[in-house]
Amino acid sequence: MFARAFYKLRYEENMDASDAHVSKPSSKKNRGTSLLDSGEDFEVLDEEDIDDDPPPLEDAGGGKGKNRNEAEKKSSDTDSDLSCQVDEWLDVLGNDQLKKKVVKAGKGRDTRPQKGQNVKIHLKTYLKDGTLVEEQSDLSFTLGDGDVIQALDLTVQLMEMEEKVLIQTDAKYAFGARGSLEPVVPPNAPLSLEVELLEATDAPDLELLSPAEKIALASHKRERGNVHYQRGDYTFAVNSYSIALQITESSSKVDISAEEENELMDVKVKCLNNMAASQLKLDHYDAALKSCVLALAHQPDNIKALFRMGKVLALQGEYPEAIQTLKRALKLEPSNKTIHTELSKLVKKHSEQRGAEQAMYKKMLGNPTSSSSTQKHRAKSSWGLSWKWLFGATAVAIGGVALSVVIAARN
């Protein structure tokens, strides 16, 4: 999460009333496309409570004229404070990369939208050189869901109803290092935004949505996750897919047909597959494996789920299980070259691993084949030696007996 930014507005005294007027920024910006470049989670905190009321005047006594002068001075100071509040740049995150400036006051802090509400804004997007990239008169999105660039998600939460602000954002909170094709924003382009908060309403009750509305909403969140994935923002992609899954899994008080139920299940499985792909990119192997298992529980022959499950198992070192999973996927789609390639690499790795393991075992236990041969040779040699001694002893004994017979015969 981003570090908590503590900030307060400073009020300069004795400002001229003319300083209260703010012209359009000369540095405006090109269009912006995708979402959050950073993969970090973020948390937006409300500003500290600021006492907007001017401090009470001290009772200095004196006549009517003096009191009148002091009252006029108080009124002048109050106008100056309000003007400064409108003109002051607010460093939203405390890193000077995302700043907000009020040019038209809103209806009060209690009108600020809450995370999870649907908001509608009027948006103008400019490049730093002042080029107008895009204008949207009624852009609607769910606050905090990652439906828009991060700069908007962070700053609109700090706006009051009917408030109009200027926003200066680094590319990190806009379209990042890749830029955007629609709208056209160059890579690493800082942007200037003009935003007016028009409306904020509570999100609809998912239980009361019709099946068609639920399918459309879940598909929209999934597509937003795809945008994040294509931009390399895998953490935000997982967040969008998770929101889409919550929609597909929500209970319903509205009748749903078998066809609509199958369509909703199809969206759910797609979300699980895409989430597994994002989790693989983040090296979250256990989470990716769980996503694959859930997808296969609904569609056992889903080739994408089988393929990603095989990859996860391989990365976890479970080569036999990974090979069996990929063989199952290949059986369902024999012409798939990607599965062929992955399976071939995996079989080769597994063979190399087995060879390395056998070599290690031989090194640890010695060479059992050589040892056995040596023992057999020794045993054989030992038996041969024994028979030789036995034969010799027998020959000597027989010779002795024969000699004794000859000597006795002579006598």
Side-chain angles (χ1 to χ4, degrees), residues 126-379:
Y126 298 88
L127 290 180
K128 191 173 182 180
D129 61 5
T131 303
L132 177 63
V133 171
E134 184 179 41
E135 179 174 3
Q136 296 174 276
S137 58
D138 56 351
L139 174 62
S140 297
F141 60 94
T142 304
L143 198 58
D145 275 11
D147 294 342
V148 290
I149 60 173
Q150 207 172 353
L152 289 174
D153 242 345
L154 290 167
T155 54
V156 171
Q157 297 186 45
L158 303 176
M159 293 180 63
E160 301 169 2
M161 196 58 59
E162 297 185 8
E163 181 178 300
K164 189 173 182 179
V165 302
L166 302 178
I167 299 170
Q168 291 184 356
T169 176
D170 185 78
K172 178 179 181 179
Y173 305 113
F175 299 106
R178 301 190 182 187
S180 170
L181 296 177
E182 183 57 41
V184 178
V185 174
N188 296 309
L191 300 177
S192 291
L193 311 173
E194 289 184 13
V195 181
E196 182 178 5
L197 181 56
L198 305 176
E199 182 181 297
T201 57
D202 291 335
D205 188 345
L206 295 178
E207 292 185 340
L208 301 179
L209 290 179
S210 68
E213 291 172 329
K214 190 175 288 190
I215 291 169
L217 183 59
S219 297
H220 172 72
K221 299 297 182 182
R222 181 180 66 84
E223 289 166 3
R224 192 63 204 177
N226 293 347
V227 172
H228 292 312
Y229 183 89
Q230 291 165 2
R231 296 185 59 79
D233 301 326
Y234 303 118
T235 300
F236 287 102
V238 169
N239 180 66
S240 293
Y241 295 138
S242 298
I243 294 171
L245 283 173
Q246 291 173 8
I247 296 170
T248 62
E249 295 171 350
S250 62
S251 58
S252 179
K253 296 180 179 178
V254 181
D255 293 335
I256 181 171
S257 67
E259 183 180 353
E260 291 170 329
E261 191 170 359
N262 290 335
E263 189 174 353
L264 197 60
M265 181 59 66
D266 188 57
V267 175
K268 180 178 180 178
V269 171
K270 287 179 179 178
C271 288
L272 288 168
N273 270 329
N274 293 355
M275 180 179 286
S278 301
Q279 290 163 336
L280 269 173
K281 293 291 187 179
L282 295 168
D283 296 334
H284 297 168
Y285 301 141
D286 290 338
L289 183 60
K290 182 179 179 180
S291 297
C292 293
V293 170
L294 289 173
L296 292 170
H298 298 296
Q299 295 180 2
D301 292 336
N302 188 285
I303 294 174
K304 288 184 178 179
L306 287 170
F307 176 73
R308 291 196 176 102
M309 185 175 181
K311 290 194 69 172
V312 174
L313 290 170
L315 290 168
Q316 291 180 323
E318 304 292 341
Y319 291 117
E321 294 85 347
I323 290 172
Q324 291 301 319
T325 303
L326 290 179
K327 283 182 177 179
R328 183 179 163 192
L330 191 60
K331 186 177 180 180
L332 293 169
E333 194 171 317
S335 61
N336 192 308
K337 294 182 179 180
T338 303
I339 300 176
H340 268 290
T341 303
E342 192 67 27
L343 184 57
S344 298
K345 291 192 298 184
L346 193 53
V347 169
K348 184 179 179 181
K349 282 184 180 180
H350 185 42
S351 178
E352 291 173 352
Q353 184 194 49
R354 290 180 63 185
E357 288 176 352
Q358 289 177 356
M360 181 182 67
Y361 292 149
K362 287 180 180 179
K363 186 176 181 181
M364 292 173 60
L365 304 175
N367 193 333
T369 303
S370 300
S371 176
S372 177
S373 300
T374 303
Q375 290 177 1
K376 288 181 180 179
H377 179 70
R378 287 178 180 175

Side-chain angles (χ1 to χ4, degrees), residues 84-122:
C84 187
Q85 181 181 1
V86 169
D87 289 347
E88 188 78 16
W89 281 103
L90 177 67
D91 190 353
V92 176
L93 299 175
N95 58 8
D96 205 37
Q97 294 181 346
L98 180 62
K99 295 187 291 184
K100 164 181 171 284
K101 183 177 186 179
V102 178
V103 295
K104 176 187 172 185
K107 290 188 173 182
R109 291 172 61 91
D110 58 346
T111 64
R112 287 182 176 180
Q114 301 298 315
K115 186 177 180 180
Q117 285 189 313
N118 292 336
V119 297
K120 182 184 290 185
I121 63 172
H122 183 187

Side-chain angles (χ1 to χ4, degrees), residues 9-13 50-52 80-82 84-85 88:
L9 297 174
R10 295 177 303 158
Y11 296 96
E12 298 177 2
E13 297 183 359
I50 300 175
D51 188 1
D52 292 329
S80 177
D81 284 345
L82 291 175
C84 187
Q85 181 181 1
E88 188 78 16

